[in-house]
Amino acid sequence: MSIVYQTNKKTGITYAYEATSVWIPELKQPRSKRKYLGRVDEYGNIIPSCGKRGRKQSSGPSKTENKQNQELEAAKKTIQLQTQRILELEAEIRKLQNIIRKSVNSLSEAL
């Protein structure tokens, strides 16, 4: 295994590849396999690729993280709405209980 550097003559950018030799028994010949490692900067350091051809490595959240965040936000909203509705219903129950107490008291006084 060795690292091979290849320069694009049009752009002047140097790319780094990992080269390995593979023996092919049918042909009785060796073949070289290359794996792309990344670009080489002006100081000779290899800037690694993200592993997907033609895509830059993103620093933001991925699609699944975005979807999970959206689902969490939707769940938070529904929980907030449900707790608000519960508080409204509890207040209504208290009002009805007061009305019932008043009517029971007025009936007991009447008897």
Side-chain angles (χ1 to χ4, degrees):
M1 234 179 358
S2 64
I3 295 178
V4 177
Y5 298 97
Q6 187 173 8
T7 304
N8 185 333
K9 291 180 182 179
K10 287 184 180 179
T11 61
I13 298 172
T14 304
Y15 299 97
Y17 295 90
E18 179 184 59
T20 55
S21 182
V22 178
W23 181 259
I24 301 182
E26 297 88 28
L27 300 176
K28 297 181 182 176
Q29 292 180 346
R31 294 283 188 249
S32 63
K33 298 283 184 178
R34 284 186 176 184
K35 181 181 176 188
Y36 176 68
L37 297 176
R39 292 175 78 166
V40 178
D41 65 0
E42 60 269 7
Y43 304 110
N45 300 325
I46 297 174
I47 302 169
S49 68
C50 66
K52 294 183 180 179
R53 179 179 280 179
R55 295 187 185 176
K56 302 251 184 216
Q57 196 168 12
S58 66
S59 60
S62 65
K63 288 182 181 179
T64 55
E65 288 174 350
N66 282 338
K67 188 175 180 181
Q68 288 173 348
N69 289 340
Q70 289 174 353
E71 290 173 354
L72 282 174
E73 291 298 321
K76 285 180 185 178
K77 270 187 182 177
T78 55
I79 289 172
Q80 287 174 348
L81 291 174
Q82 288 175 350
T83 53
Q84 184 179 2
R85 181 67 180 145
I86 288 171
L87 293 174
E88 290 171 358
L89 289 174
E90 285 176 347
E92 193 174 327
I93 287 172
R94 278 188 235 111
K95 287 179 186 176
L96 291 173
Q97 285 175 342
N98 287 336
I99 292 172
I100 292 171
R101 281 189 198 122
K102 288 178 183 176
S103 61
V104 168
N105 287 339
S106 64
L107 283 174
S108 64
E109 289 175 3
L111 294 174

Short mmCIF file of all heavy atoms in Angstrom, two decimals, residues 62-99:
data_model
loop_
_atom_site.label_atom_id
_atom_site.label_comp_id
_atom_site.label_asym_id
_atom_site.label_seq_id
_atom_site.Cartn_x
_atom_site.Cartn_y
_atom_site.Cartn_z
N SER A 62 -27.85 16.59 9.60
CA SER A 62 -28.23 15.79 8.45
C SER A 62 -29.75 15.80 8.29
O SER A 62 -30.48 16.35 9.10
CB SER A 62 -27.75 14.35 8.64
OG SER A 62 -28.42 13.77 9.74
N LYS A 63 -30.23 15.17 7.22
CA LYS A 63 -31.66 15.13 6.95
C LYS A 63 -32.41 14.40 8.05
O LYS A 63 -33.49 14.81 8.45
CB LYS A 63 -31.93 14.45 5.60
CG LYS A 63 -31.54 15.28 4.42
CD LYS A 63 -31.86 14.58 3.12
CE LYS A 63 -31.44 15.39 1.93
NZ LYS A 63 -31.73 14.71 0.67
N THR A 64 -31.84 13.30 8.54
CA THR A 64 -32.53 12.55 9.60
C THR A 64 -32.59 13.36 10.88
O THR A 64 -33.60 13.34 11.59
CB THR A 64 -31.84 11.20 9.87
OG1 THR A 64 -30.45 11.44 10.17
CG2 THR A 64 -31.93 10.29 8.67
N GLU A 65 -31.52 14.10 11.18
CA GLU A 65 -31.52 14.95 12.37
C GLU A 65 -32.55 16.06 12.23
O GLU A 65 -33.25 16.40 13.18
CB GLU A 65 -30.14 15.54 12.62
CG GLU A 65 -29.14 14.52 13.10
CD GLU A 65 -27.73 15.08 13.20
OE1 GLU A 65 -27.50 16.21 12.72
OE2 GLU A 65 -26.87 14.39 13.76
N ASN A 66 -32.66 16.64 11.02
CA ASN A 66 -33.67 17.67 10.78
C ASN A 66 -35.06 17.10 10.97
O ASN A 66 -35.92 17.75 11.58
CB ASN A 66 -33.53 18.24 9.36
CG ASN A 66 -32.39 19.23 9.26
OD1 ASN A 66 -31.96 19.79 10.25
ND2 ASN A 66 -31.90 19.44 8.06
N LYS A 67 -35.29 15.91 10.45
CA LYS A 67 -36.60 15.29 10.57
C LYS A 67 -36.92 15.00 12.04
O LYS A 67 -38.03 15.23 12.50
CB LYS A 67 -36.64 13.99 9.75
CG LYS A 67 -38.01 13.37 9.67
CD LYS A 67 -38.04 12.17 8.75
CE LYS A 67 -39.42 11.56 8.69
NZ LYS A 67 -39.47 10.40 7.84
N GLN A 68 -35.94 14.50 12.77
CA GLN A 68 -36.14 14.22 14.19
C GLN A 68 -36.42 15.50 14.96
O GLN A 68 -37.29 15.53 15.83
CB GLN A 68 -34.91 13.52 14.77
CG GLN A 68 -34.75 12.10 14.31
CD GLN A 68 -33.43 11.48 14.78
OE1 GLN A 68 -32.55 12.17 15.26
NE2 GLN A 68 -33.32 10.17 14.63
N ASN A 69 -35.71 16.57 14.62
CA ASN A 69 -35.95 17.86 15.28
C ASN A 69 -37.35 18.38 14.99
O ASN A 69 -38.03 18.90 15.87
CB ASN A 69 -34.91 18.89 14.84
CG ASN A 69 -33.55 18.61 15.42
OD1 ASN A 69 -33.42 17.89 16.41
ND2 ASN A 69 -32.52 19.16 14.81
N GLN A 70 -37.80 18.21 13.74
CA GLN A 70 -39.15 18.64 13.39
C GLN A 70 -40.19 17.82 14.14
O GLN A 70 -41.20 18.36 14.61
CB GLN A 70 -39.37 18.51 11.88
CG GLN A 70 -38.61 19.54 11.06
CD GLN A 70 -38.72 19.29 9.56
OE1 GLN A 70 -39.26 18.28 9.14
NE2 GLN A 70 -38.20 20.23 8.77
N GLU A 71 -39.96 16.51 14.25
CA GLU A 71 -40.89 15.66 14.98
C GLU A 71 -40.92 16.04 16.45
O GLU A 71 -42.00 16.07 17.07
CB GLU A 71 -40.51 14.19 14.81
CG GLU A 71 -40.75 13.65 13.42
CD GLU A 71 -40.21 12.24 13.22
OE1 GLU A 71 -39.55 11.71 14.14
OE2 GLU A 71 -40.47 11.68 12.15
N LEU A 72 -39.76 16.35 17.03
CA LEU A 72 -39.71 16.78 18.43
C LEU A 72 -40.46 18.09 18.64
O LEU A 72 -41.20 18.24 19.62
CB LEU A 72 -38.27 16.93 18.89
CG LEU A 72 -37.53 15.64 19.24
CD1 LEU A 72 -36.07 15.95 19.53
CD2 LEU A 72 -38.16 14.98 20.43
N GLU A 73 -40.27 19.02 17.73
CA GLU A 73 -40.98 20.30 17.83
C GLU A 73 -42.48 20.11 17.72
O GLU A 73 -43.26 20.73 18.46
CB GLU A 73 -40.48 21.28 16.75
CG GLU A 73 -39.06 21.76 16.96
CD GLU A 73 -38.89 22.53 18.25
OE1 GLU A 73 -39.79 23.30 18.63
OE2 GLU A 73 -37.84 22.34 18.91
N ALA A 74 -42.91 19.23 16.80
CA ALA A 74 -44.34 18.96 16.65
C ALA A 74 -44.89 18.31 17.92
O ALA A 74 -45.99 18.65 18.38
CB ALA A 74 -44.58 18.06 15.44
N ALA A 75 -44.13 17.39 18.51
CA ALA A 75 -44.57 16.73 19.75
C ALA A 75 -44.65 17.74 20.89
O ALA A 75 -45.60 17.71 21.69
CB ALA A 75 -43.61 15.60 20.10
N LYS A 76 -43.68 18.65 20.97
CA LYS A 76 -43.71 19.69 22.01
C LYS A 76 -44.95 20.57 21.87
O LYS A 76 -45.59 20.91 22.85
CB LYS A 76 -42.45 20.56 21.93
CG LYS A 76 -41.21 19.91 22.47
CD LYS A 76 -40.02 20.85 22.35
CE LYS A 76 -38.73 20.20 22.76
NZ LYS A 76 -37.57 21.10 22.60
N LYS A 77 -45.28 20.94 20.61
CA LYS A 77 -46.46 21.76 20.38
C LYS A 77 -47.73 21.06 20.82
O LYS A 77 -48.59 21.65 21.47
CB LYS A 77 -46.57 22.13 18.89
CG LYS A 77 -45.88 23.39 18.51
CD LYS A 77 -46.20 23.75 17.07
CE LYS A 77 -45.46 24.99 16.67
NZ LYS A 77 -45.68 25.34 15.27
N THR A 78 -47.85 19.78 20.44
CA THR A 78 -49.06 19.05 20.83
C THR A 78 -49.14 18.91 22.34
O THR A 78 -50.23 19.03 22.91
CB THR A 78 -49.11 17.66 20.16
OG1 THR A 78 -47.92 16.94 20.47
CG2 THR A 78 -49.25 17.76 18.66
N ILE A 79 -48.03 18.68 23.00
CA ILE A 79 -48.03 18.57 24.46
C ILE A 79 -48.43 19.89 25.09
O ILE A 79 -49.23 19.92 26.03
CB ILE A 79 -46.65 18.10 24.97
CG1 ILE A 79 -46.44 16.63 24.61
CG2 ILE A 79 -46.52 18.29 26.47
CD1 ILE A 79 -45.05 16.12 24.88
N GLN A 80 -47.92 21.00 24.55
CA GLN A 80 -48.29 22.31 25.08
C GLN A 80 -49.78 22.57 24.90
O GLN A 80 -50.45 23.07 25.80
CB GLN A 80 -47.47 23.41 24.40
CG GLN A 80 -46.03 23.46 24.84
CD GLN A 80 -45.22 24.47 24.05
OE1 GLN A 80 -45.67 24.98 23.03
NE2 GLN A 80 -44.01 24.76 24.52
N LEU A 81 -50.31 22.24 23.72
CA LEU A 81 -51.73 22.44 23.47
C LEU A 81 -52.57 21.56 24.39
O LEU A 81 -53.60 22.00 24.92
CB LEU A 81 -52.06 22.13 22.00
CG LEU A 81 -51.51 23.13 20.98
CD1 LEU A 81 -51.78 22.62 19.56
CD2 LEU A 81 -52.16 24.49 21.18
N GLN A 82 -52.14 20.31 24.60
CA GLN A 82 -52.88 19.41 25.47
C GLN A 82 -52.84 19.88 26.92
O GLN A 82 -53.87 19.84 27.61
CB GLN A 82 -52.32 17.99 25.36
CG GLN A 82 -52.65 17.32 24.04
CD GLN A 82 -51.99 15.97 23.88
OE1 GLN A 82 -51.13 15.59 24.66
NE2 GLN A 82 -52.40 15.24 22.85
N THR A 83 -51.70 20.36 27.39
CA THR A 83 -51.64 20.85 28.77
C THR A 83 -52.49 22.11 28.94
O THR A 83 -53.16 22.28 29.97
CB THR A 83 -50.19 21.15 29.19
OG1 THR A 83 -49.59 22.01 28.24
CG2 THR A 83 -49.37 19.88 29.32
N GLN A 84 -52.50 22.96 27.92
CA GLN A 84 -53.35 24.15 27.97
C GLN A 84 -54.82 23.75 28.02
O GLN A 84 -55.59 24.30 28.80
CB GLN A 84 -53.07 25.03 26.75
CG GLN A 84 -53.82 26.34 26.76
CD GLN A 84 -53.51 27.18 25.53
OE1 GLN A 84 -52.76 26.76 24.66
NE2 GLN A 84 -54.07 28.37 25.47
N ARG A 85 -55.20 22.78 27.23
CA ARG A 85 -56.59 22.30 27.22
C ARG A 85 -56.95 21.67 28.56
O ARG A 85 -58.06 21.86 29.08
CB ARG A 85 -56.79 21.29 26.08
CG ARG A 85 -58.17 20.75 25.95
CD ARG A 85 -59.15 21.81 25.53
NE ARG A 85 -60.47 21.21 25.41
CZ ARG A 85 -61.59 21.82 25.71
NH1 ARG A 85 -61.58 23.08 26.10
NH2 ARG A 85 -62.74 21.21 25.60
N ILE A 86 -56.01 20.93 29.16
CA ILE A 86 -56.25 20.31 30.46
C ILE A 86 -56.48 21.38 31.52
O ILE A 86 -57.39 21.27 32.35
CB ILE A 86 -55.07 19.39 30.85
CG1 ILE A 86 -55.09 18.13 30.00
CG2 ILE A 86 -55.11 19.03 32.33
CD1 ILE A 86 -53.87 17.26 30.14
N LEU A 87 -55.68 22.44 31.49
CA LEU A 87 -55.85 23.53 32.45
C LEU A 87 -57.21 24.21 32.28
O LEU A 87 -57.88 24.55 33.26
CB LEU A 87 -54.71 24.54 32.32
CG LEU A 87 -53.33 24.05 32.73
CD1 LEU A 87 -52.27 25.11 32.40
CD2 LEU A 87 -53.29 23.70 34.20
N GLU A 88 -57.62 24.39 31.02
CA GLU A 88 -58.93 24.99 30.75
C GLU A 88 -60.05 24.09 31.28
O GLU A 88 -61.01 24.58 31.90
CB GLU A 88 -59.12 25.21 29.25
CG GLU A 88 -58.25 26.32 28.68
CD GLU A 88 -58.31 26.37 27.16
OE1 GLU A 88 -59.00 25.52 26.54
OE2 GLU A 88 -57.66 27.25 26.59
N LEU A 89 -59.93 22.79 31.06
CA LEU A 89 -60.95 21.86 31.54
C LEU A 89 -60.98 21.80 33.06
O LEU A 89 -62.07 21.71 33.67
CB LEU A 89 -60.71 20.46 30.96
CG LEU A 89 -60.98 20.31 29.46
CD1 LEU A 89 -60.55 18.93 28.98
CD2 LEU A 89 -62.45 20.54 29.16
N GLU A 90 -59.82 21.87 33.71
CA GLU A 90 -59.79 21.87 35.17
C GLU A 90 -60.47 23.12 35.72
O GLU A 90 -61.21 23.04 36.71
CB GLU A 90 -58.34 21.78 35.67
CG GLU A 90 -57.72 20.42 35.53
CD GLU A 90 -56.27 20.38 35.93
OE1 GLU A 90 -55.64 21.46 36.10
OE2 GLU A 90 -55.73 19.26 36.08
N ALA A 91 -60.25 24.26 35.08
CA ALA A 91 -60.91 25.49 35.51
C ALA A 91 -62.42 25.37 35.33
O ALA A 91 -63.21 25.79 36.19
CB ALA A 91 -60.37 26.68 34.72
N GLU A 92 -62.85 24.78 34.24
CA GLU A 92 -64.29 24.57 33.99
C GLU A 92 -64.89 23.62 35.01
O GLU A 92 -66.00 23.83 35.49
CB GLU A 92 -64.48 24.04 32.56
CG GLU A 92 -65.90 24.10 32.08
CD GLU A 92 -66.02 23.71 30.63
OE1 GLU A 92 -65.09 23.98 29.85
OE2 GLU A 92 -67.07 23.12 30.27
N ILE A 93 -64.15 22.59 35.36
CA ILE A 93 -64.62 21.63 36.38
C ILE A 93 -64.81 22.34 37.72
O ILE A 93 -65.80 22.13 38.42
CB ILE A 93 -63.64 20.44 36.50
CG1 ILE A 93 -63.76 19.54 35.28
CG2 ILE A 93 -63.89 19.66 37.78
CD1 ILE A 93 -62.70 18.45 35.21
N ARG A 94 -63.86 23.21 38.10
CA ARG A 94 -63.97 23.95 39.35
C ARG A 94 -65.21 24.83 39.36
O ARG A 94 -65.93 24.93 40.34
CB ARG A 94 -62.71 24.79 39.58
CG ARG A 94 -61.59 23.99 40.18
CD ARG A 94 -60.41 24.89 40.59
NE ARG A 94 -59.22 24.37 39.93
CZ ARG A 94 -58.55 24.95 38.95
NH1 ARG A 94 -58.91 26.13 38.51
NH2 ARG A 94 -57.50 24.39 38.41
N LYS A 95 -65.48 25.49 38.21
CA LYS A 95 -66.67 26.33 38.10
C LYS A 95 -67.94 25.49 38.27
O LYS A 95 -68.87 25.88 39.00
CB LYS A 95 -66.71 27.04 36.75
CG LYS A 95 -65.72 28.16 36.60
CD LYS A 95 -65.82 28.78 35.22
CE LYS A 95 -64.74 29.80 34.98
NZ LYS A 95 -64.78 30.32 33.60
N LEU A 96 -67.97 24.34 37.60
CA LEU A 96 -69.15 23.48 37.71
C LEU A 96 -69.32 22.94 39.13
O LEU A 96 -70.45 22.82 39.63
CB LEU A 96 -69.06 22.34 36.70
CG LEU A 96 -69.20 22.73 35.23
CD1 LEU A 96 -68.93 21.54 34.33
CD2 LEU A 96 -70.58 23.30 34.95
N GLN A 97 -68.22 22.61 39.79
CA GLN A 97 -68.30 22.13 41.17
C GLN A 97 -68.84 23.22 42.08
O GLN A 97 -69.66 22.94 42.97
CB GLN A 97 -66.92 21.67 41.65
CG GLN A 97 -66.48 20.33 41.09
CD GLN A 97 -65.05 19.97 41.49
OE1 GLN A 97 -64.27 20.82 41.90
NE2 GLN A 97 -64.73 18.68 41.35
N ASN A 98 -68.43 24.46 41.87
CA ASN A 98 -68.96 25.58 42.66
C ASN A 98 -70.46 25.74 42.42
O ASN A 98 -71.23 25.99 43.36
CB ASN A 98 -68.22 26.87 42.34
CG ASN A 98 -66.82 26.89 42.91
OD1 ASN A 98 -66.53 26.20 43.88
ND2 ASN A 98 -65.95 27.69 42.31
N ILE A 99 -70.87 25.61 41.17
CA ILE A 99 -72.30 25.72 40.85
C ILE A 99 -73.08 24.60 41.54
O ILE A 99 -74.15 24.83 42.12
CB ILE A 99 -72.52 25.69 39.32
CG1 ILE A 99 -71.95 26.96 38.69
CG2 ILE A 99 -73.99 25.52 38.98
CD1 ILE A 99 -71.93 26.95 37.18
#
